[in-house]
């Protein structure tokens, strides 16, 4: 790697960062309009065409608000908490392969900020760190509702992180690699893991909803119970950081679900053979964004459709059902893979290179 | 004592000492003020809750933030003016509040309103009941985290309110009743319009039944939550759908029929479970019964005058009377004392919500924080009705 490669990586990182910010803005608008559509309302439609600039207007409002620290808050931790929430959210996105890499001249341009060899573990690390953002926010606010929200958050995220890791393990076993681009490569030729691994796929997405504190698992900011949960005492730009972190996390979960289970940037069968996506990297990007977009819609759809679980029901669901089922799946998948490698079973849904 | 036994007792003692330490480092209870400004208390209701983690150990409701002294104000208003006040007790079903007051005044004066008036009053009462229950069906979902049903039920509630408005000119506070009759006749085309809206309300009920009450998470959250046993409910004077859900078939409309409730056919919906789900489900079924009543009234609506023969100046002869009615939130009663003249001497209002929330300290002991919200929502009280 010489300086040109570093420059290319930096440009990719900046482009991705900007794209994520833009997508967050769009996603908030999409969620509000989509929810309004399902709830016989109109939704924001005044700022800009179709209300597209509403989020921008909101952001400007939040940015220009007074930045304050409540009297009862712990000033340092109160200030750090939003950063602790936002940074891991962005860092988690670095491992997502948005499309196949391509060459300009003899330079390789990856559509991914960092193709780490620990790959998917990075996501788990980052989502573990992100918990601290909410916990510290709730604790440092010096207020009771945020404290309750923080307590809920710690228990909820730790439980569902476990589910998430267990849902990832079968994919890693099947693909034989932790690298996210490696997992996408393994799913080429239409061997999408959602087919053999439908149970972990659902488990991953559901625990993703729980990790991002979205309904029906939004106990942390259950507005009818805890007002706004852990972030009740936050306002202005710090509130915006939490908000941005939440939406970045939603995008991350959708993108990782696409990567792990829906074949990443691989196109569907017919289209792939006809248009020859492999030679045009932008097609890969298109398919990736389309699949991620569908999952983002599912996030909104679920939010509008379902009531909120109770705290103990969430825990029971996580520990007794999700973890149990996923441990069974991990064992079963390991067994099947072992049998296939021994030649006792035909290579079902064979990953390339096996 | 053998050596084994002494060894065991020594280890028990060590464990006991450990347990002692655990008790000492146990965190104290946290006092949590729920309200007066809280999204789920429907106004300025305040609960001082002692919470141990997520579990509520003790609750003390604090009332009176909404006290407006209406009972006292009634003593310096003429009978015609009082209806404007009592409209604002349970502000969601303002029309229903007028009925028992007007009936008590009519009873003291020995006047009976003409049949057409009785029918129109019944129709409007039931419309107000539907509007109130549609708010409940939506807002109960919100308390459990389901936002969507609220917008749908509010849309259909708007149609019901439009009907009320077309007759009375007011959506919330019609102030439409007069002693001996009503202000105005039904507008042309009301019967057809009303029948169409009843179909919409029924359709909405079906949707809520299927999508909200049929939802697994909703059932998990409400079934077995906040059970009021029948004897406890009766002790606390709980009324309306809250007590019917506990298995008591008490409905003033059937027990002591007023207006034309003895001429229409309807079921008193009861349930035996007594939990939040049963209370909500009773209200859903009662909305359906209500549309049934309205349809029958529309069909049987007689023609005739809309005002009985009453003196120009309403003067109620001395006496006292208690009239009760089945309002959407429960049983409402007016104890009216007159010493003659144009103004009441004393008006004591028995509002359903006040008695319904009195069961809260008993009911909320030891529940989870989210259940507390579900129970508050399922009891369905209106602060104006609690504090008067």
């Amino acid at each position: 790697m010489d300086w040109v490669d570093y420059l290319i990586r930096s440009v990719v990182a900046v482009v991705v960062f900007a794209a994520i910010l833009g997508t967050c803005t769009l996603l908030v608008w999409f969620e509000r309009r989509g929810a309004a559509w399902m709830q016989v309302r109109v939704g924001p439609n005044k700022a800009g065409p179709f209300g597209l600039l509403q989020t921008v207007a909101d952001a400007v409002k939040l940015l220009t608000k007074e930045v304050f620290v409540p009297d009862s808050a712990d000033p340092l931790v109160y200030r750090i908490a939003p950063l602790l929430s936002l940074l891991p959210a962005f860092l988690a996105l670095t491992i997502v392969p948005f499309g196949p890499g391509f060459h300009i001249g003899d330079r390789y341009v990856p559509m991914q900020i960092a193709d780490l060899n620990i790959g998917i573990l990075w996501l788990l690390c980052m989502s573990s760190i992100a918990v601290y953002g909410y916990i510290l926010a709730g604790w440092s606010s010096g207020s009771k509702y945020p404290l309750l929200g923080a307590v809920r958050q710690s228990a909820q995220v730790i439980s569902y992180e476990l589910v998430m890791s267990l849902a990832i393990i079968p994919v890693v076993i099947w693909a034989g690699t932790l690298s996210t681009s490696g997992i996408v490569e393994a799913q080429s030729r239409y061997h999408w893991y959602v087919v053999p691994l439908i149970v972990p796929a659902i488990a991953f997405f559901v625990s993703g909803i729980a990790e991002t504190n979205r309904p029906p698992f939004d106990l942390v900011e259950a507005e009818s119970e805890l007002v706004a949960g852990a972030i009740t005492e936050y306002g202005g730009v710090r509130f915006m950081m939490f908000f941005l972190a939440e939406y970045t996390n939603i995008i991350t979960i959708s993108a990782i679900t696409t990567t792990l289970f829906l074949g990443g940037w691989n196109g569907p069968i017919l289209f792939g053979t006809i248009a020859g996506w492999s030679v045009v990297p932008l097609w890969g990007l298109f398919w990736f964004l389309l699949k991620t977009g569908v999952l983002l819609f599912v996030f909104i759809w679920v939010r509008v459709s379902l009531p909120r679980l109770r705290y103990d029901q969430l825990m029971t669901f996580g520990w007794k059902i999700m973890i149990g089922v996923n441990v069974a799946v991990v064992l079963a998948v390991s067994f099947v893979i072992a049998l296939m490698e021994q030649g006792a079973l035909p290579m079902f849904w064979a990953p390339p290179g096996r | 004592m053998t050596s084994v036994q002494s060894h065991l007792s020594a280890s028990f003692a060590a464990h006991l000492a450990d347990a002692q330490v655990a008790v000492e480092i146990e965190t104290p209870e946290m006092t949590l003020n729920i309200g007066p400004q809280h999204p789920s208390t429907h106004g300025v209701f305040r609960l001082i809750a002692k919470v141990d983690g997520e579990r509520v150990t003790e609750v003390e409701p604090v009332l009176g933030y909404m006290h407006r002294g209406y009972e006292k104000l009634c003593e310096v208003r003429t009978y015609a003016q009082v209806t404007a006040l009592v409209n604002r007790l349970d502000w969601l079903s303002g029309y229903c509040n007028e009925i028992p007051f007007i009936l008590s005044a009519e009873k003291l004066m020995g006047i009976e309103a003409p049949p057409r008036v009785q029918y129109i009053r019944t129709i409007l009462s039931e419309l107000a009941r539907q509007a109130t229950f549609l708010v409940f069906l939506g807002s109960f979902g919100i308390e459990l985290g389901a936002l969507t049903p609220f917008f749908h039920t509010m849309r259909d509630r708007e149609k019901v309110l439009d009907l009320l408005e077309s007759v009375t000119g007011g959506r919330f506070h019609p102030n439409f009743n007069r002693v001996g009759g009503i202000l105005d006749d039904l507008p042309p085309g009301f019967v057809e319009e009303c029948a169409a809206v009843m179909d919409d309300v029924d359709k909405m009920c079906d949707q809520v039944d299927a999508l909200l009450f049929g939802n697994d998470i909703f059932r998990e959250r409400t079934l077995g939550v906040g059970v009021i046993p029948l004897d406890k409910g009766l002790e606390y004077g709980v009324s309306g759908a809250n007590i019917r859900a506990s298995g008591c078939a008490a409905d003033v409309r059937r027990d002591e029929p007023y207006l034309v409730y003895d001429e229409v056919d309807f079921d008193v919906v009861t349930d035996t479970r007594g939990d939040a789900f049963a209370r909500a489900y009773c209200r859903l079924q009662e909305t359906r019964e209500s549309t049934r009543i309205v349809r029958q009234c529309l069909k049987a609506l007689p023609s005739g005058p809309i005002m009985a023969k009453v003196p120009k100046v309403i003067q109620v002869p001395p006496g006292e009377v208690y009239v009760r009615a089945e309002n959407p939130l429960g049983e409402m009663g007016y104890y009216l004392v007159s010493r003659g003249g144009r103004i009441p001497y004393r008006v004591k209002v028995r509002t359903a919500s006040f008695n319904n929330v009195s069961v809260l300290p008993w009911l909320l002991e030891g529940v989870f924080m989210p259940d507390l919200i579900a129970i508050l929502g399922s009891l369905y009280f209106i602060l104006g009705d609690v504090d008067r």
Side-chain angles (χ1 to χ4, degrees):
Chain A
M1 294 249 288
D2 59 0
W3 66 272
V4 182
D5 280 322
Y6 284 114
L7 187 68
I8 290 172
R9 296 284 165 131
S10 312
V11 170
V12 170
V14 169
V15 168
V16 169
F17 185 74
I20 293 304
L21 283 181
T23 316
C24 279
T25 320
L26 207 61
L27 179 59
V28 174
W29 171 84
F30 182 59
E31 169 159 26
R32 293 178 67 179
R33 289 295 294 221
W37 174 54
M38 296 180 212
Q39 294 174 339
V40 292
R41 296 185 286 124
V42 179
N45 66 347
K46 289 286 182 278
F50 310 109
L52 269 168
L53 295 178
Q54 183 63 46
T55 324
V56 180
D58 287 345
V60 169
K61 182 201 75 176
L62 286 169
L63 283 170
T64 50
K65 271 188 158 180
E66 184 191 352
V67 181
F68 65 93
V69 179
D71 269 351
S72 56
D74 183 320
L76 183 66
V77 182
Y78 181 85
R79 287 190 176 95
I80 291 175
L83 294 172
L84 265 181
S85 191
L86 186 57
L87 273 181
F90 277 129
L91 288 178
L93 264 169
T94 51
I95 55 156
V96 175
F98 295 97
F102 54 93
H103 288 84
I104 299 176
D106 55 349
R107 293 286 176 185
Y108 179 65
V109 181
M111 279 215 218
Q112 180 177 14
I113 298 174
D115 186 8
L116 303 176
N117 53 359
I118 54 164
I120 204 68
L121 287 184
W122 178 256
L123 170 81
L124 296 174
C125 300
M126 284 306 126
S127 63
S128 306
I129 293 175
V131 189
Y132 285 104
Y134 268 88
I135 294 177
L136 292 179
W139 176 78
S140 69
S141 292
S143 177
K144 286 167 184 171
Y145 287 112
L147 186 65
L148 279 175
V151 172
R152 285 180 176 189
Q153 166 85 357
S154 48
Q156 174 180 342
V157 172
I158 288 165
S159 321
Y160 277 83
E161 203 131 283
L162 218 52
V163 179
M164 198 179 240
S165 339
L166 282 170
I168 289 172
I169 292 174
V171 177
V172 174
I173 296 176
W174 209 293
T177 174
L178 282 167
S179 146
T180 42
S181 58
I183 290 171
V184 175
E185 292 285 345
Q187 295 180 74
S188 61
R189 286 195 247 131
Y190 333 119
H191 291 107
W192 295 5
Y193 287 148
V194 69
V195 179
L197 300 176
I198 178 74
V199 178
I202 294 170
F204 183 85
F205 194 68
V206 170
S207 59
I209 296 176
E211 285 269 309
T212 48
N213 300 318
R214 295 279 297 174
F217 305 115
D218 62 334
L219 301 148
V220 179
E221 36 185 282
E223 75 283 337
S224 59
E225 297 155 25
L226 301 183
V227 190
I231 55 174
T232 307
E233 301 289 340
Y234 279 87
V237 68
R238 294 204 181 99
F239 169 78
M240 199 177 83
M241 284 189 192
F242 281 113
F243 201 69
L244 194 57
E246 184 187 329
Y247 280 85
T248 312
N249 282 329
I250 295 169
I251 295 173
T252 309
I253 293 296
S254 305
I256 298 281
T257 312
T258 308
T259 306
L260 293 182
F261 297 101
L262 298 179
W265 37 260
N266 292 305
I269 297 175
L270 278 177
F271 199 88
T273 44
I274 294 165
W277 51 270
S278 54
V279 288
V280 188
L282 277 182
W283 273 121
L285 185 63
F286 169 76
W287 289 120
F288 180 85
L289 292 182
L290 185 70
K291 289 180 215 172
T292 310
V294 169
L295 289 178
L296 288 175
F297 177 74
V298 174
F299 260 98
I300 295 163
W301 193 13
V302 167
R303 178 197 151 176
V304 175
S305 307
L306 294 178
R308 185 182 304 118
L309 282 167
R310 200 170 61 209
Y311 181 67
D312 58 317
Q313 289 164 349
L314 180 87
M315 288 295 134
T316 314
F317 182 62
W319 286 95
K320 291 187 182 162
I321 299 171
M322 298 279 270
I323 289 184
V325 169
N326 276 299
V327 167
V329 169
V330 168
L331 288 176
V333 168
S334 322
F335 193 64
V336 167
I337 294 278
L339 284 181
M340 289 198 304
E341 292 196 335
Q342 296 288 324
L345 269 182
M347 281 287 187
F348 166 71
W349 214 256
R354 275 211 185 252
Chain B
M1 195 184 274
T2 64
S3 68
V4 175
Q5 273 176 330
S6 71
H7 176 72
L8 272 181
S9 63
S11 79
F12 276 136
H15 278 294
L16 269 178
D18 284 350
Q20 197 59 44
V21 172
V23 169
E24 273 166 24
I25 59 167
E26 203 170 73
T27 50
E29 284 174 344
M30 184 167 85
T31 307
L32 189 67
N33 264 308
I34 303 168
Q37 262 92 40
H38 186 278
S40 290
T41 52
H42 298 279
V44 284
F45 187 61
R46 179 176 168 212
L47 287 170
I48 303 174
K50 292 221 163 57
V51 291
D52 177 15
E54 286 277 323
R55 199 172 280 277
V56 177
T57 51
E58 199 189 319
V59 163
E60 186 195 331
V62 182
L63 316 173
Y65 288 94
M66 196 79 211
H67 182 68
R68 295 153 295 175
Y70 277 178
E71 289 178 7
K72 188 71 191 164
L73 284 172
C74 287
E75 294 170 18
V76 290
R77 298 281 190 281
T78 65
Y79 287 88
Q81 288 171 329
V82 166
T83 52
L85 282 180
V86 297
N87 256 309
R88 281 144 180 90
L89 290 174
D90 160 16
W91 52 62
L92 282 183
S93 43
Y95 187 85
C96 293
N97 300 340
E98 297 176 17
I99 295 292
F101 177 78
I102 287 294
L103 289 182
S104 59
E106 285 175 359
K107 206 166 175 183
L108 273 183
M109 291 177 73
I111 300 173
E112 179 139 12
R116 185 170 173 85
V117 173
Q118 304 275 19
Y119 269 90
I120 293 175
R121 280 178 180 173
T122 311
I123 292 172
L124 295 182
S125 291
E126 291 305 316
L127 287 182
R129 189 185 311 276
Q130 288 162 23
T132 314
F133 283 171
L134 282 174
V135 173
F136 168 78
L137 295 172
S139 68
F140 190 46
I142 286 196
E143 262 126 36
L144 299 173
L147 275 171
T148 311
F150 182 73
F151 295 101
H152 290 258
T153 56
M154 286 304 250
R155 176 194 60 191
D156 283 8
R157 168 183 179 254
E158 205 59 32
K159 295 176 190 163
V160 177
L161 287 181
D162 282 347
L163 281 179
L164 269 173
E165 193 186 2
S166 72
V167 184
T168 67
R171 281 154 41 90
F172 268 36
H173 307 306
N175 198 15
F176 189 60
N177 282 296
R178 303 291 179 266
V179 176
I182 48 177
L183 178 63
D184 207 349
D185 208 341
L186 295 176
F190 175 83
V191 174
E192 294 75 34
E193 251 175 66
C194 188
V197 171
M198 288 309 103
D199 291 341
D200 287 345
V201 172
D202 273 346
K203 219 167 106 192
M204 191 70 246
C205 286
D206 292 344
Q207 284 182 5
V208 169
D209 199 352
L211 294 176
L212 191 63
F213 287 73
N215 183 296
D216 280 342
I217 299 177
F218 180 88
R219 297 176 81 92
E220 282 282 312
R221 284 291 308 275
T222 51
L223 280 170
V225 168
V227 177
I228 304 179
L230 184 55
D231 54 337
K232 274 285 168 196
L234 292 175
E235 256 173 53
Y236 280 102
V238 173
S239 60
N242 295 326
I243 197 70
R244 286 193 286 275
S246 298
C248 175
D251 191 324
V252 183
R253 290 177 293 177
R254 199 201 51 191
D255 301 339
E256 270 178 36
Y258 55 102
L259 300 182
V260 290
Y261 285 114
D262 48 351
E263 291 167 33
V264 290
D265 178 34
F266 68 99
D267 295 331
V268 176
V269 185
T270 57
D271 205 311
T272 49
R273 288 170 287 193
D275 54 11
F277 183 86
R279 290 193 280 276
Y281 200 66
C282 275
R283 292 204 180 91
L284 175 73
Q285 297 291 18
E286 276 172 31
T287 317
R288 288 173 167 155
E289 291 302 321
S290 180
T291 59
R292 222 176 115 194
I293 295 173
V294 171
R295 284 208 186 86
Q296 292 175 45
C297 287
L298 287 176
K299 206 170 275 175
L301 189 66
S303 54
I306 54 160
M307 199 71 188
K309 274 200 101 57
V310 286
K312 269 232 166 68
V313 177
I314 301 288
Q315 290 201 334
V316 176
E320 52 186 72
V321 68
Y322 180 75
V323 172
R324 58 196 192 124
E326 187 68 28
N327 270 27
L329 301 182
E331 184 185 323
M332 180 181 236
Y334 283 83
Y335 180 58
L336 177 68
V337 182
S338 171
R339 297 216 168 155
R342 294 169 58 201
I343 56 177
Y345 177 73
R346 174 81 172 97
V347 177
K348 167 79 183 87
V349 193
R350 189 261 190 225
T351 49
S353 297
F354 183 75
N355 287 61
N356 288 351
V357 297
S358 72
V359 76
L360 279 179
W362 178 83
L363 189 60
L364 292 180
E365 219 178 279
V367 301
F368 281 114
M369 179 71 185
D371 285 347
L372 181 146
I373 305 297
I375 293 169
L376 281 185
S378 72
L379 275 179
Y380 198 37
F381 51 87
I382 303 287
L383 258 292
D385 206 36
V386 175
D387 288 341
R388 304 197 278 283

